[in-house]
Amino acid sequence: MSLQTGRSSLPPPSSRRIDLARTRLRGLRDDPNPVWMRELRQAARLQRTPIILAVVTGMMTLLMASVGGVASTSTEPAKVGIALYHTFFSIAFFVVTWIGPTVAASTIASERSGRTWEALLLTGIGAPAIARGKLLASLTYVGLYIVMLAPVGALPFLFGGVAATEVLAAFALLGLFAVLSVAFGLSMSSKFTSNAAAVGVTLLIAVPLSIVAYLLLGVALSFGAHELWPGVPGGPPVWLPTAYARADFGAEYLVFLVAVPVVLVLLPAWFLYEVTIANMAGVSDDRSSGLRRWFLVCLPLLSLAGLAPAAALPGNSAPYTVVGLGLVSLMCGFAVFVFVGEPLGPSRRVEVHWERERASRLRRFLGPGLIRAMSLLLLLGLAGLALESAVGVALAFFGGRSAGAPDDALRIASFAGYAMCFTVFLAGLGAWLRARSLSASSPRVVLAGALFLSMAGPWILTAIFGLFASHGKDALLVAAPSPTFVFVMMKAIGDPSLDATFTLIAGGACAAGWALIGVALFAAAARRARRTVRAHEDAMSRLENALREEDEARDAPAAEPTTAAAAPGEP
């Protein structure tokens, strides 16, 4: 037994991955997260927890029984079972997406409002361990609701029309939504110091987002699933579990039902988790590496996810390729807003940690630094767009549509080219604004305004001058500086009523202009950032020299002898 920890000393793990995994699992079993254990003990002592669970379960049971009883009088049992299935999991979706963020939003904010946050930090657990403990505690609490509601979800079996696989898949999806909801609430909680403010703002955002997600991803997307798999009905909101049970297994199954849902849930949850850790860390801590690692993994996965539908459906790959390029472009734009919050350079505390740990060049590159962040964004973003467009062009030529292959390839290249040029502009503008500001809020506001003006401004000018009515379709060229003009370029390709050559030249010239402005702004930002960091280091060096001289001047009189020593031979 160790006197310091009270645990038996384990032998050092082997270098094999299996042994390392076993050691980590043994550590989770024998030494669970202390914050998680504390939260569970506090929740177990609360008398309202079983009462709330019982009330929610009772209300759900009465609602399901009422719906089933009323519908069974005039509808056949199989249709009643299907109606109960969609009713139960629709309500369960809102329970998870509303209660999950609310519970998580009161975790970190309650520590700060209750003045226990400093005591929690003094334990030396660290921000990542605290975030994991809070996340596990909130997931456990939301999991209690899912477990309590599970017997109610078996009521559709009494009527039929629903397979057991659909019910199990629906409960698994509820778990994924719970992870995303709790991660969102935790990130909001880490930003506030008041419990009431954190819960209120979280609900104001979570409620409309859940309703929009229910309508778009549920009701609207079910019609697309019905066209792809006729066995999946169009219109009912809970279509994804039904698709798992009834869709034909193949490339479309793996892409749309496995890869895309996992990517769309786990990657945002990971981002929110890293945001939570960054908000909990101090100003001089490394708050950038986690977000950089997320971006380093997320963008390639998003690029592959965008290529997967085009590869799975080669006969009509161009629209899917354009959608994938649009997702990567939106991801790059979102990353610009995230990286605008970067400091100009690493703090001395971070540099000391790097020296002690002998950090590699890759780790230093993924550390704090504005220019490093924007360089990583441009490197991965442009590479992802170029790779996806190249694969899309190849699929357009060799996917079985030889007649329209040149037009599809030109459309893909036009979209990718404009997206790459405008990404360079956004990155350069964001870096330039952050290099000239002392905080991250003002550059983000200005960047959002510049983005809106660049996208909507040319169209507003075109409408103001009445060019749509006076000069016909050629007036659309006035809107060429807008990034959305790329859709006009794509429409002009193969359309005899539009001058495709002149439209592509105008759009390409404007795209090249955005890229040149972005490069100039990025160079100016890098120059100013280096000058600011150098000035800060010089000021710190002067301060250290002044303090050293002060110490030497204070210690100098004590080192001088009080009486002069007599020379040899003198009395």
Side-chain angles (χ1 to χ4, degrees), residues 195-215:
N195 191 13
V199 173
V201 175
T202 301
L203 283 177
L204 286 177
I205 299 176
V207 171
L209 278 181
S210 62
I211 295 175
V212 171
Y214 179 80
L215 295 177

Side-chain angles (χ1 to χ4, degrees), residues 108-109 112 185-192 275-277 279-280:
I108 301 175
R112 290 173 175 169
L186 204 63
S187 65
M188 298 297 295
S189 179
S190 64
K191 196 68 177 176
F192 291 90
V275 168
T276 302
I277 296 177
N279 292 335
M280 292 166 59

Side-chain angles (χ1 to χ4, degrees), residues 14-66:
S14 171
S15 59
R16 294 191 308 170
R17 296 184 181 273
I18 297 178
D19 294 337
L20 290 174
R22 289 175 181 173
T23 303
R24 290 172 182 171
L25 290 175
R26 192 183 300 115
L28 291 176
R29 182 193 63 189
D30 300 336
D31 188 18
N33 189 285
V35 179
W36 182 26
M37 294 295 101
R38 190 198 69 168
E39 295 287 336
L40 291 183
R41 293 189 183 97
Q42 289 181 351
R45 288 194 295 264
L46 294 176
Q47 297 181 356
R48 66 173 181 265
T49 300
I51 297 176
I52 294 174
L53 292 174
V55 170
V56 172
T57 306
M59 293 175 61
M60 181 69 79
T61 305
L62 291 176
L63 178 62
M64 294 289 292
S66 302

Side-chain angles (χ1 to χ4, degrees), residues 350-440:
V350 174
E351 291 179 347
V352 168
H353 282 295
W354 284 347
E355 294 295 333
R356 289 177 180 176
E357 299 173 2
R358 297 181 180 179
S360 61
R361 291 185 178 180
L362 178 60
R363 184 176 177 184
R364 293 172 184 266
F365 181 75
L366 296 179
L370 175 66
I371 304 303
R372 297 172 183 173
M374 293 302 178
S375 300
L376 177 66
L377 187 150
L378 290 176
L379 179 64
L380 290 182
L382 298 182
L385 290 172
L387 175 63
E388 194 163 350
S389 62
V391 175
V393 170
L395 291 175
F397 276 107
F398 302 103
R401 294 183 61 193
S402 57
D407 292 342
D408 289 341
L410 189 56
R411 292 187 183 97
I412 294 172
S414 301
F415 190 95
Y418 212 125
M420 293 170 69
C421 293
F422 197 73
T423 299
V424 174
F425 166 73
L426 282 182
L429 179 61
W432 183 76
L433 291 173
R434 180 65 182 93
R436 301 181 64 86
S437 178
L438 297 177
S439 63

Side-chain angles (χ1 to χ4, degrees), residues 26-411:
R26 192 183 300 115
L28 291 176
R29 182 193 63 189
D30 300 336
D31 188 18
N33 189 285
V35 179
W36 182 26
M37 294 295 101
R38 190 198 69 168
E39 295 287 336
L40 291 183
R41 293 189 183 97
Q42 289 181 351
R45 288 194 295 264
L46 294 176
Q47 297 181 356
R48 66 173 181 265
T49 300
I51 297 176
I52 294 174
L53 292 174
V55 170
V56 172
T57 306
M59 293 175 61
M60 181 69 79
T61 305
L62 291 176
L63 178 62
M64 294 289 292
S66 302
V67 172
V70 172
S72 61
T73 58
S74 58
T75 310
E76 59 186 39
K79 294 183 179 179
V80 174
I82 296 174
L84 289 176
Y85 170 78
H86 288 281
T87 301
F88 171 78
F89 283 104
S90 297
I91 298 176
F93 169 79
F94 288 110
V95 169
V96 168
T97 54
W98 291 357
I99 294 181
T102 304
V103 171
S106 62
T107 53
I108 301 175
S110 62
E111 297 280 358
R112 290 173 175 169
S113 61
R115 301 184 183 277
T116 57
W117 176 249
E118 289 78 10
L120 188 59
L121 290 179
L122 288 175
T123 58
I125 298 176
I130 295 174
R132 285 194 300 269
K134 296 292 186 180
L135 179 67
L136 291 173
S138 302
L139 283 176
T140 304
Y141 192 82
V142 177
L144 290 176
Y145 283 91
I146 298 177
V147 172
M148 290 292 291
L149 294 176
V152 187
L155 288 178
F157 286 109
L158 300 177
F159 298 90
V162 179
T165 308
E166 300 178 32
V167 177
L168 294 177
F171 274 110
L173 290 173
L174 280 181
L176 289 178
F177 284 120
V179 172
L180 185 58
S181 302
V182 168
F184 170 72
L186 204 63
S187 65
M188 298 297 295
S189 179
S190 64
K191 196 68 177 176
F192 291 90
T193 58
S194 172
N195 191 13
V199 173
V201 175
T202 301
L203 283 177
L204 286 177
I205 299 176
V207 171
L209 278 181
S210 62
I211 295 175
V212 171
Y214 179 80
L215 295 177
L216 292 181
L217 301 180
V219 179
L221 205 57
S222 65
F223 294 99
H226 177 69
E227 293 182 1
L228 191 58
W229 300 291
V232 179
V238 190
W239 62 269
L240 189 55
T242 306
Y244 284 127
R246 302 182 185 180
D248 297 330
F249 187 79
E252 297 89 350
Y253 189 99
L254 294 176
V255 170
F256 293 107
L257 301 183
V258 178
V260 174
V262 171
V263 169
L264 293 180
V265 172
L266 294 185
L267 290 182
W270 184 12
F271 169 75
L272 295 171
Y273 174 74
E274 295 294 345
V275 168
T276 302
I277 296 177
N279 292 335
M280 292 166 59
V283 179
S284 59
D285 293 333
D286 184 2
R287 301 189 293 178
S288 306
S289 297
L291 292 172
R292 302 279 186 85
R293 288 192 297 267
W294 169 80
F295 183 75
L296 190 63
V297 174
C298 180
L299 193 68
L301 285 181
L302 191 62
S303 301
L304 293 177
L307 287 174
L313 301 171
N316 192 18
S317 61
Y320 295 100
T321 303
V322 172
V323 172
L325 290 170
L327 291 177
V328 175
S329 303
L330 291 176
M331 179 64 197
C332 292
F334 175 75
V336 170
F337 281 89
V338 174
F339 292 157
V340 161
E342 288 283 327
L344 297 184
S347 64
R348 288 206 166 187
R349 183 177 182 181
V350 174
E351 291 179 347
V352 168
H353 282 295
W354 284 347
E355 294 295 333
R356 289 177 180 176
E357 299 173 2
R358 297 181 180 179
S360 61
R361 291 185 178 180
L362 178 60
R363 184 176 177 184
R364 293 172 184 266
F365 181 75
L366 296 179
L370 175 66
I371 304 303
R372 297 172 183 173
M374 293 302 178
S375 300
L376 177 66
L377 187 150
L378 290 176
L379 179 64
L380 290 182
L382 298 182
L385 290 172
L387 175 63
E388 194 163 350
S389 62
V391 175
V393 170
L395 291 175
F397 276 107
F398 302 103
R401 294 183 61 193
S402 57
D407 292 342
D408 289 341
L410 189 56
R411 292 187 183 97

